[in-house]
Amino acid sequence: MIRTNTVILSTIKGIAYRLKLTSGGSGIVIMAEGESQPGIASISKTSGKAILTANTPKAYPKEAFEEAISLTAGMPYRKQGSVRLTEDAKLPVDIPDEPIPEETVVDSADYQKIVDHYTDKNGKLSYALINKEMIKFSHSSSIVRKMKEAGETMKAIRLYTVGTKFRGITGNRALTEAEVQKIVSLLDEVSPKGVLKEFNDEIKRGLKKK
């Protein structure tokens, strides 16, 4: 993942960095103290302002993204080691030698397209619509049928179905499996029962019939 130098924020207790989006633009990632989920926003190519996703956690106000944009302006993109906050000074520390896998960061523009696609007329993210589309696609897909016949796992079938749908919605054919899973986990953050519960149940029923 391509990152810039990390900066310390004063708006909230946290750090931020820029990253190159697959769409060609720039984005901002904020890691707040005490939060396991980072905040992600794209940067408008016209206004230079932060464009937050619909489900950006409340821990990440727009003011924090605007400060991060200002502080990281002009910084070159570079490869950087994992970053964490120290317990005492709350300062970012580079850890280039630790074998810690880097957090999968999703292009916020891709995420927003998916949120927009599944937002109902009342402006709410519809989990019913998400599951309905996934179930409909899995029933009509010859590849999914062959996967079931071959004894593929529920996880593999779900990942293929969701990945195919998300790539079609975003237009990003390079969307990786890790990014697809990350998007699902982001949607899960605001779903009380799991965003794909109905779809998971449907796959289980189909596999039992086999």
Side-chain angles (χ1 to χ4, degrees):
M1 180 175 62
I2 304 301
R3 295 178 175 174
T4 61
N5 294 329
T6 303
V7 297
I8 305 171
L9 301 176
S10 61
T11 311
I12 63 172
K13 290 184 178 180
I15 58 176
Y17 56 84
R18 287 199 183 200
L19 77 163
K20 194 74 172 178
L21 302 179
T22 56
S23 59
S26 296
I28 286 288
V29 176
I30 297 178
M31 298 169 63
E33 180 182 344
E35 295 290 326
S36 59
Q37 176 60 49
I40 308 170
S42 59
I43 301 175
S44 171
K45 294 180 181 179
T46 54
S47 68
K49 300 294 184 180
I51 303 175
L52 280 64
T53 61
N55 294 322
T56 298
K58 293 181 179 179
Y60 302 101
K62 190 170 184 179
E63 292 76 15
F65 285 102
E66 297 298 348
E67 181 187 12
I69 290 174
S70 176
L71 292 176
T72 59
M75 287 184 174
Y77 292 104
R78 70 179 179 85
K79 195 77 174 180
Q80 180 171 303
S82 301
V83 175
R84 69 184 174 200
L85 297 180
T86 61
E87 291 298 325
D88 48 1
K90 309 303 179 188
L91 297 176
V93 179
D94 285 337
I95 318 170
D97 297 322
E98 284 189 346
I100 301 175
E102 290 189 341
E103 178 77 11
T104 299
V105 176
V106 176
D107 186 328
S108 61
D110 286 340
Y111 180 65
Q112 188 62 54
K113 287 178 183 177
I114 292 169
V115 170
D116 290 343
H117 181 82
Y118 291 117
T119 297
D120 61 24
K121 295 179 180 179
N122 297 319
K124 294 182 179 181
L125 190 63
S126 174
Y127 296 100
L129 179 57
I130 295 175
N131 283 276
K132 181 179 178 181
E133 280 203 0
M134 297 302 170
I135 292 171
K136 181 179 179 181
F137 176 83
S138 66
H139 285 173
S140 62
S141 171
S142 59
I143 294 180
V144 171
R145 185 178 67 252
K146 291 178 181 178
M147 290 177 75
K148 290 179 179 178
E149 293 173 350
E152 291 284 358
T153 63
M154 183 184 80
K155 181 179 178 181
I157 295 171
R158 180 181 60 206
L159 185 57
Y160 168 77
T161 302
V162 176
T164 301
K165 289 296 297 182
F166 283 1
R167 292 182 188 101
I169 293 168
T170 62
N172 180 8
R173 301 297 177 183
L175 203 64
T176 67
E177 291 186 354
E179 289 169 330
V180 169
Q181 292 175 322
K182 185 64 177 180
I183 292 172
V184 172
S185 71
L186 289 171
L187 295 174
D188 266 330
E189 290 287 324
V190 289
S191 173
K193 60 179 180 179
V195 64
L196 295 175
K197 183 179 185 305
E198 287 79 8
F199 181 43
N200 288 338
D201 292 343
E202 181 65 20
I203 297 175
K204 289 178 182 177
R205 284 192 291 269
L207 291 176
K208 284 182 179 179
K209 290 179 181 179
K210 302 306 294 181

